[in-house]
Amino acid sequence: IHPDFDQIIFDILEKDKNGIVYLIKDTNKVLYKKLIKRFSTNKKYDSKKIIFMDPLNYEDYLLHLGRSSVLLDPIYYGAGNSFLNLCFLEHHLLHFLAITSNQD
């Protein structure tokens, strides 16, 4: 997850008092530990609202998606596998487009 996405997650959770963000830990937990460390430096971080799940097999992953209300597609890297998996489910996908301009 790109660091620019952190504040988006925190802002959504601040506005949606019932919202919970689920993230899946990487197999070796290297990136997971880095994310926890990075998130913990933000005063808005609440470990009860951002939950890291152990890796899931594909079937369990789809079941978890099916129970969710919205899938947040991260900025800069979105519309990949998550989008294709949602084609089988009737859910909303929030995709953040990064608009940049080339200035000389």
Side-chain angles (χ1 to χ4, degrees):
I1 295 177
H2 194 281
D4 291 349
F5 195 57
D6 296 3
Q7 194 59 46
I8 293 169
I9 292 172
F10 295 134
D11 289 347
I12 289 170
L13 291 174
E14 185 176 42
K15 291 176 183 168
D16 183 354
K17 301 299 181 196
N18 296 317
I20 297 174
V21 171
Y22 290 94
L23 300 170
I24 300 173
K25 297 175 188 173
D26 55 309
T27 306
N28 297 322
K29 298 182 178 143
V30 173
L31 298 176
Y32 156 71
K33 290 176 184 176
K34 287 182 181 183
L35 273 176
I36 289 288
K37 185 176 180 180
R38 193 171 82 207
F39 285 170
S40 64
T41 63
N42 190 309
K43 65 180 181 177
K44 292 183 180 182
Y45 174 62
D46 181 351
S47 63
K48 294 177 185 157
K49 304 288 274 175
I50 300 176
I51 298 172
F52 287 86
M53 300 171 35
D54 288 326
L56 304 168
N57 64 40
Y58 186 66
E59 183 178 318
D60 288 340
Y61 171 72
L62 288 179
L63 287 172
H64 187 74
L65 286 182
R67 290 190 296 262
S68 66
S69 300
V70 175
L71 176 76
L72 297 175
D73 207 8
I75 55 176
Y76 311 130
Y77 309 110
N81 289 334
S82 300
F83 175 76
L84 294 175
N85 291 322
L86 283 178
C87 290
F88 298 105
L89 304 169
E90 295 180 10
H91 281 17
H92 301 286
L93 172 71
L94 297 181
H95 178 73
F96 298 95
L97 297 175
I99 301 173
T100 60
S101 63
N102 293 330
Q103 297 179 349
D104 294 315

